[in-house]
């Protein structure tokens, strides 16, 4: 699974995700940048899209309160408490506290907690689909055979024609 999970509008991925998809990885990602291009090629049913859209992020940012999600979603609270409690760093107490503070900061720029539940749900779909081997392989194959358009040959030719205005010597 290729995780391209930056908040929408934060350049979730450039081209690295295309290389993974071409090689049969399934993508979990936000609706942004090249994740959108991949979704258009492979179809919404062959990619795991989650979270807010670019427009929703922009509209929500000025009123976003992490505490609403912390108080309103027991899963969010449990994960953040684990982070705060040194559960993952018994030998280095406190090293994750800055992460906790960042996530809980007022108007936290990336709206991380807002996408958390949707991310977990997408991961649950991944878990279910992965257990269905024929479904998983069919999704993977569709990613391989529908991403040829991202080949560097096609891209360079398009640059040569449309941007650089040059011709191949072999043409
Ligand atoms: C594709 C590629 C990148 C770009 O990766 P992104 O995930 O799009 O940022 C960077 N470095 C190398 C070597 C690559 O092949």
């Amino acid at each position: 699974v290729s995780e391209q999970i930056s908040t929408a509008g934060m350049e979730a991925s450039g081209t690295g995700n295309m290389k993974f998809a071409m090689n049969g990885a399934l993508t979990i990602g936000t609706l942004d940048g090249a994740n959108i291009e991949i979704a258009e090629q492979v179809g919404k049913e062959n990619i795991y899209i989650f979270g807010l859209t670019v427009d929703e992020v922009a509209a929500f940012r000025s009123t976003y309160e992490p505490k609403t999600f912390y108080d309103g979603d027991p899963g969010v609270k449990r994960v953040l408490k684990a982070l705060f409690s040194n559960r993952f760093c018994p030998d280095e107490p406190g090293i994750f506290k800055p992460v906790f503070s960042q996530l809980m900061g007022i108007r936290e720029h990336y709206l991380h907690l807002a996408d958390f539940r949707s991310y977990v749900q997408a991961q649950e779909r991944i878990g279910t689909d992965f257990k269905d081997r024929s479904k998983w392989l069919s999704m993977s194959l569709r990613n391989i055979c529908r991403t040829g358009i991202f080949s560097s040959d096609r891209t360079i030719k398009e640059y040569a024609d449309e941007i650089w205005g040059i011709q191949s010597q072999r043409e």
Side-chain angles (χ1 to χ4, degrees):
V1 173
S2 157
E3 303 229 11
Q4 310 292 336
I5 61 177
S6 305
T7 306
M10 297 289 151
E11 190 94 42
S13 179
T15 55
N17 53 354
M18 295 170 172
K19 297 170 219 171
F20 289 122
M22 283 174 155
N23 283 284
L26 300 186
T27 305
I28 176 170
T30 50
L31 206 49
D32 191 18
N35 290 341
I36 298 175
E37 292 180 66
I38 293 173
E40 281 168 3
Q41 295 302 320
V42 305
K44 279 267 166 70
E45 68 286 5
N46 295 304
I47 186 169
Y48 299 93
I49 297 294
F50 74 94
L52 300 172
T53 63
V54 173
D55 290 344
E56 287 166 349
V57 167
F60 193 28
R61 185 166 275 134
S62 62
T63 55
Y64 172 60
E65 289 285 0
K67 203 172 176 313
T68 314
F69 292 89
Y70 183 85
D71 291 335
D73 185 333
V76 171
K77 187 174 265 185
R78 192 164 162 225
V79 168
L80 286 186
K81 275 191 164 167
L83 207 55
F84 197 68
S85 73
N86 297 321
R87 175 168 170 176
F88 305 114
C89 53
D91 300 330
E92 295 171 275
I95 61 162
F96 290 125
K97 281 189 184 165
V99 179
F100 178 88
S101 310
Q102 170 74 35
L103 292 175
M104 291 298 286
I106 297 181
R107 308 271 176 272
E108 189 271 312
H109 190 66
Y110 299 95
L111 282 63
H112 278 120
L113 303 189
D115 273 356
F116 176 86
R117 180 51 45 196
S118 167
Y119 174 78
V120 169
Q121 284 165 349
Q123 282 288 2
E124 279 165 358
R125 294 203 305 279
I126 287 173
T128 304
D129 292 346
F130 184 73
K131 283 193 275 185
D132 183 345
R133 187 165 169 79
S134 99
K135 175 173 189 187
W136 187 264
L137 293 180
S138 126
M139 291 177 74
S140 171
L141 264 177
R142 282 177 171 79
N143 272 258
I144 294 169
C145 62
R146 291 175 180 170
T147 45
I149 192 168
F150 301 131
S151 103
S152 52
D153 287 349
R154 197 269 310 153
T155 309
I156 296 297
K157 188 170 185 325
E158 211 169 282
Y159 268 68
D161 293 343
E162 294 173 13
I163 296 169
W164 300 326
I166 52 171
Q167 280 195 333
S168 161
Q169 287 192 323
R170 280 190 222 144
E171 270 179 35

